Amino acid sequence: MGEVVTGRAEAPDVRLREMTMDDVPGVMALERTLFPLDAWTEGMLIGELAEPTRHYVVAESDDAIVGYAGLRFVPPEGDVQTMAVDERVWGKGVGSALLTELLDQAEKRGVTHMFLEVRSDNPRAQKLYGRFGFVQIGVRRGYYNGADALVMRRVAGGGDHE
């Protein structure tokens, strides 16, 4: 994967690259900050990185991890396993860049139907996914430590990659 730099003038320079084992501590610090009640464990993340049907990326700015995302691909289906952006760079295009990378990688791997779960109390993420053509297809009650998960799907060719 080549480096991707976000194109918005107000955004810090953000580079996307494949996640490595060296990134685990930084990713876990961000994970625990953003999701204190239902953060993944380090073992879960390490297990994901070892899976051949996964693709994980980090977003870096000034040598710090400011976001990360993971894809599970078993064509023709794929899942956004996780996606998070440091609150300090919200609204700067980092989430869009991460999601674009996952969708591009999914397409290269033959995925035509992408799925994800998003917290029902996270309208920012819901709006982002909607811009990329994801539509709600179900609800998982209490999935996130009491909060419902909205199940969303995107069929290849949907959404705008802005």
Side-chain angles (χ1 to χ4, degrees), residues 7-161:
R8 296 187 182 185
E10 75 274 15
D13 283 340
V14 175
R15 296 162 310 285
L16 299 187
R17 62 172 176 76
E18 194 162 333
M19 187 184 295
T20 69
M21 293 299 285
D22 291 339
D23 297 318
V24 170
V27 168
M28 289 307 303
L30 190 54
E31 174 82 4
R32 290 182 190 113
T33 298
L34 293 171
F35 310 113
L37 298 178
D38 49 13
W40 283 17
T41 66
E42 187 171 306
M44 290 169 67
L45 180 59
I46 290 169
E48 283 290 296
L49 291 176
E51 287 289 332
T53 59
R54 305 298 194 269
H55 177 77
Y56 278 78
V57 294
V58 293
E60 283 185 317
S61 178
D62 296 326
D63 295 323
I65 294 173
V66 296
Y68 57 90
L71 166 69
R72 174 188 157 282
F73 53 92
V74 183
E77 294 183 353
D79 295 279
V80 174
Q81 295 289 88
T82 188
M83 194 166 103
V85 175
D86 189 319
E87 291 180 20
R88 294 173 293 185
V89 295
W90 280 4
K92 306 292 187 185
V94 176
S96 291
L98 287 166
L99 189 53
T100 296
E101 169 63 16
L102 293 188
L103 294 174
D104 289 348
Q105 289 295 324
E107 184 179 341
K108 289 177 186 175
R109 289 168 165 84
V111 171
T112 57
H113 291 71
M114 284 287 292
F115 296 88
L116 59 82
E117 290 92 16
V118 61
R119 289 181 67 102
S120 59
D121 59 359
N122 189 344
R124 289 180 62 87
Q126 293 169 34
K127 184 177 177 183
L128 172 68
Y129 298 139
R131 282 199 341 256
F132 279 80
F134 282 89
V135 295
Q136 183 180 336
I137 60 168
V139 176
R140 292 191 174 143
R141 302 279 177 218
Y143 185 78
Y144 291 110
N145 235 355
D148 293 342
L150 306 181
V151 180
M152 302 182 84
R153 178 182 65 204
R154 177 186 188 269
V155 178
D160 63 16
H161 281 69

